[in-house]
């Protein structure tokens, strides 16, 4: 039986697992009796199952909140895990977050409280004080968030306790199907193309917990640090496939803040800590929000099979709904786009602002010189079976004056670019109107930059 090693609440653990898709939540509750971690939605939405996972990156300790209900046990290999039972000090001192939750009456029924505390503990450790963002993935049905926010604000005034400042990591290797390096993984996957690759499991996890699927042989690739990088090279920004959404968000805030803000609305903090940019693209969802932004930036994929690599424009990766241009045994190694002035704007329309799926996601990049449009890349998600560009609207804009007349003509051209569907999120007509208005909004923001247009600003 396969084994992994990690530390749990400061103690070394060597765990056996069968099947490999056993969730961390089930293992904690059933095998270790750590029932403070709760099962609520079992799909990564409510946050009752939140734990923290720590790892070293560049010599720095990073502690992150994650959803244990859609995290598979082998994903803990080599890491340090804390549950609600493990945040107290050696003399049973309670954590400052717990102290303030008690003082400010931040709990009523208490079911959600362990997950809320663990989200705030991770934020407290990392000096993160955007509490509305931190708690977007923790649903509390009865307390109300005001006392929880007051507790978070007061706890932030106290430094992290010493007992949480360090973590011990296991020295052993275990024997789970976790590749040690990129070359050996590429060779293995070429020979085993039917395997299911698991990085963050924020999508695959639901296939198991909600879809009740039995997966084919699973290979856990989240440990491949060779695929976890963001760098500039030869005029390109290159992003490894295993870069988490949260890490990419932090790196994009300077270069393309509109893209960063779109990334901030991916799921919750817990989901963004686990989910990877490669996984978001590889699953081929027509409403995956990263693809329209990257297509608008002119991104291409570096795909690898064994020792072979090929480049492919991202927009050509998506063939039709559920079908991508990816050969057997081939995987996304990195995503890259040209270094460029920031002309990207990203607009996401969803029924809820946080933690919701897009009805329409529009990402537009329009270059203007001497009053003329010299380049236009307009990419949309939710408007077709795949993320795609508005070729007709782009053609109307390119070479035209940058004015409202040209925008109006491009808005009309959008009607011929897409034939959206009607579903529970939006009707076809509404989607089309929204896409048109996103183009108009881009023009308004570009020509009237002093007028606030974001709901967060207004």
């Amino acid at each position: 039986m396969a084994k992994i090693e990690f530390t749990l609440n400061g103690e070394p653990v060597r765990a056996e697992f069968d099947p490999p898709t056993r969730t961390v939540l089930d293992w904690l509750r059933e095998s270790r009796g750590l029932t403070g971690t709760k099962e609520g939605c079992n799909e990564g939405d409510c946050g009752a199952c939140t734990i923290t996972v720590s790892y070293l990156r560049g010599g720095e300790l990073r502690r992150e909140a994650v959803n244990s209900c859609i995290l598979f046990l082998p994903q803990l290999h080599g890491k340090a895990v804390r549950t609600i039972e493990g945040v107290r000090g050696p003399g049973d001192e309670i954590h400052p977050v717990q102290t303030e939750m008690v003082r400010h009456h931040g709990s009523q029924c208490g079911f959600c409280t362990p997950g809320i505390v663990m989200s705030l503990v991770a934020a407290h450790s990392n000096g993160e004080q955007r509490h509305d963002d931190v708690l977007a993935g923790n649903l509390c049905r009865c307390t109300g968030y005001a006392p929880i926010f007051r507790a978070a604000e007061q706890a932030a005034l106290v430094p992290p306790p010493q007992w949480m400042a360090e973590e011990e990591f296991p020295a052993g290797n275990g024997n789970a199907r976790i590749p040690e390096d990129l070359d050996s993984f590429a060779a293995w996957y070429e020979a085993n193309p039917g395997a299911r690759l698991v990085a963050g499991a924020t999508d695959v996890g639901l296939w198991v917990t909600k879809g009740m699927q039995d997966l084919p042989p699973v290979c856990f690739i989240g440990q491949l640090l060779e695929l976890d990088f963001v760098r500039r090279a030869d005029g390109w920004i290159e992003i490894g496939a295993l870069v988490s959404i949260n890490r990419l968000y932090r790196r994009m805030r300077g270069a393309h803040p509109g893209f960063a803000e779109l990334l901030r609305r991916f799921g919750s903090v817990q989901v963004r800590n686990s989910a990877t940019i490669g996984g978001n693209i590889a699953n081929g969802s027509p409403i995956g929000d990263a693809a329209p932004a990257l297509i608008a930036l002119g991104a291409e994929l570096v795909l690898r099979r064994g020792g072979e690599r090929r480049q492919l424009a991202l927009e050509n990766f998506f063939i039709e709904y559920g079908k991508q241009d990816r050969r057997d045994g081939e995987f996304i190694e990195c995503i890259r786009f040209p270094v460029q002035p920031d002309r990207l704007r990203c607009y996401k329309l969803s029924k809820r602002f946080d933690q919701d799926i897009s009805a329409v996601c529009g990402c537009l990049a329009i270059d203007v010189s001497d009053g003329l449009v010299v380049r236009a890349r307009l990419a949309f998600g939710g408007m077709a079976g795949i993320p795609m560009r508005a070729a007709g609207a782009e053609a109307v804009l390119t070479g035209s004056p940058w004015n409202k007349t040209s925008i109006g003509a491009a808005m009309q051209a959008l009607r011929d670019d897409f034939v959206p569907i009607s579903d529970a999120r939006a009707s076809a007509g509404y989607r089309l109107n929204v896409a048109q208005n996103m183009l108009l909004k881009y023009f308004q923001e570009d020509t009237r930059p002093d007028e606030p247009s974001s709901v967060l600003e207004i």
Side-chain angles (χ1 to χ4, degrees):
M1 185 177 288
K3 297 181 178 66
I4 56 169
E5 292 187 356
F6 57 97
T7 61
L8 174 63
N9 296 333
E11 299 296 326
V13 172
R14 187 172 175 86
E16 296 181 343
F17 60 88
D18 185 22
T21 53
R22 188 178 190 188
T23 66
V24 174
L25 173 64
D26 287 347
W27 181 84
L28 288 171
R29 294 180 61 85
E30 296 167 4
S31 296
R32 305 296 288 198
L34 296 175
T35 55
T37 305
K38 306 300 185 186
E39 178 179 319
C41 65
N42 213 24
E43 59 186 37
D45 279 343
C46 75
C49 68
T50 302
I51 60 174
T52 68
V53 173
S54 300
Y55 57 91
L56 292 173
R57 181 76 77 239
E60 177 186 356
L61 176 69
R62 187 74 189 173
R63 178 174 287 112
E64 295 180 337
V66 298
N67 292 309
S68 63
C69 70
I70 51 172
L71 192 72
F72 298 136
L73 194 57
Q75 292 176 266
L76 300 182
H77 182 58
K79 298 177 181 177
V81 179
R82 294 269 173 183
T83 67
I84 188 65
E85 294 89 351
V87 297
R88 64 188 177 193
D92 284 342
E93 307 99 318
I94 65 173
H95 193 281
V97 167
Q98 295 172 304
T99 298
E100 297 303 332
M101 284 284 285
V102 172
R103 182 175 297 164
H104 291 279
H105 307 287
S107 176
Q108 286 189 34
C109 83
F111 189 89
C112 64
T113 307
I116 288 172
V117 167
M118 295 309 294
S119 287
L120 292 177
V121 163
H124 189 261
S125 295
N126 297 322
E128 175 59 66
Q129 297 187 31
R130 292 178 61 169
H131 305 304
D132 54 341
D133 201 25
V134 167
L135 292 170
N138 290 92
L139 179 61
C140 182
R141 295 171 176 85
C142 55
T143 301
Y145 286 87
I148 298 171
F149 271 67
R150 287 194 288 268
E153 290 166 352
Q154 287 300 307
L157 303 177
V158 181
Q162 184 59 37
W163 70 83
M164 293 290 289
E166 298 177 355
E167 288 283 11
E168 294 291 330
F169 294 92
N173 293 319
N175 63 352
R177 188 178 292 117
I178 300 172
E180 295 181 0
D181 61 77
L182 183 58
D183 288 343
S184 63
F185 161 66
W188 182 89
Y189 189 44
E190 184 180 24
N192 298 272
R196 174 65 62 192
L197 305 184
V198 176
T202 54
D203 193 17
V204 176
L206 273 73
W207 301 356
V208 174
T209 63
K210 293 297 183 180
M212 305 300 174
Q213 294 185 26
D214 292 322
L215 299 184
V218 175
C219 183
F220 294 94
I221 61 174
Q223 308 276 358
L224 287 173
L225 297 183
E226 294 157 283
L227 296 181
D228 188 2
F229 60 84
V230 182
R231 65 195 178 206
R232 286 195 179 205
D234 301 323
W236 295 83
I237 293 179
E238 299 180 338
I239 307 164
L242 294 185
V243 172
S244 72
I245 299 299
N246 252 352
R247 186 172 175 222
L248 184 58
Y249 157 71
R250 292 191 292 269
R251 292 298 298 270
M252 288 295 107
R253 282 184 295 185
H256 296 288
F259 185 22
E261 178 58 21
L262 179 67
L263 293 169
R264 193 183 68 81
R265 292 179 63 188
F266 274 47
S268 62
V269 168
Q270 295 96 313
V271 168
R272 297 194 298 270
N273 282 334
S274 297
T276 64
I277 186 64
N280 185 263
I281 292 168
N283 74 8
S285 171
I287 47 176
D289 289 336
L294 290 165
I295 289 171
L297 289 169
E300 66 180 33
L301 301 179
V302 177
L303 296 161
R304 178 171 176 178
R305 181 170 61 176
E308 280 184 47
R309 291 177 175 87
R310 66 182 175 113
Q311 285 78 43
L312 178 69
L314 178 55
E315 62 226 59
N316 296 332
F317 179 69
F318 305 101
I319 298 172
E320 60 186 44
Y321 181 78
K323 184 178 180 181
Q324 297 85 46
D325 183 359
R326 188 176 67 84
R327 304 166 187 170
D328 287 345
E330 190 174 52
F331 62 94
I332 298 173
E333 190 170 50
C334 85
I335 307 100
R336 62 182 203 160
F337 58 85
V339 176
Q340 58 198 275
D342 181 40
R343 295 289 297 169
L344 177 69
R345 301 292 181 273
C346 299
Y347 307 114
K348 172 172 178 166
L349 181 79
S350 55
K351 291 188 175 181
R352 297 192 310 267
F353 187 84
D354 286 310
Q355 222 184 189
D356 202 2
I357 295 171
S358 293
V360 179
C361 178
C363 298
L364 321 176
I366 303 172
D367 295 334
V368 179
S369 179
D370 297 327
L372 295 178
V373 176
V374 295
R375 189 187 76 139
R377 293 181 67 90
L378 318 177
F380 290 88
M383 295 291 289
I386 57 174
M388 60 184 294
R389 292 170 64 181
E394 290 179 0
V396 167
L397 282 175
T398 304
S400 297
W402 186 227
N403 58 30
K404 227 169 188 179
T405 300
S406 299
I407 289 294
M411 290 170 66
Q412 288 302 310
L414 276 172
R415 294 182 173 276
D416 298 321
D417 283 325
F418 300 106
V419 183
I421 64 168
S422 295
D423 60 18
R425 294 189 185 94
S427 68
Y430 182 67
R431 281 189 161 98
L432 188 57
N433 287 340
V434 164
Q436 291 174 315
N437 286 337
M438 286 176 175
L439 183 53
L440 178 60
K441 183 174 183 178
Y442 184 105
F443 176 77
Q444 295 286 85
E445 288 183 345
D446 191 57
T447 56
R448 300 179 183 177
D450 295 331
E451 294 184 7
S453 59
S454 166
V455 294
L456 299 181
E457 295 173 322
I458 297 170

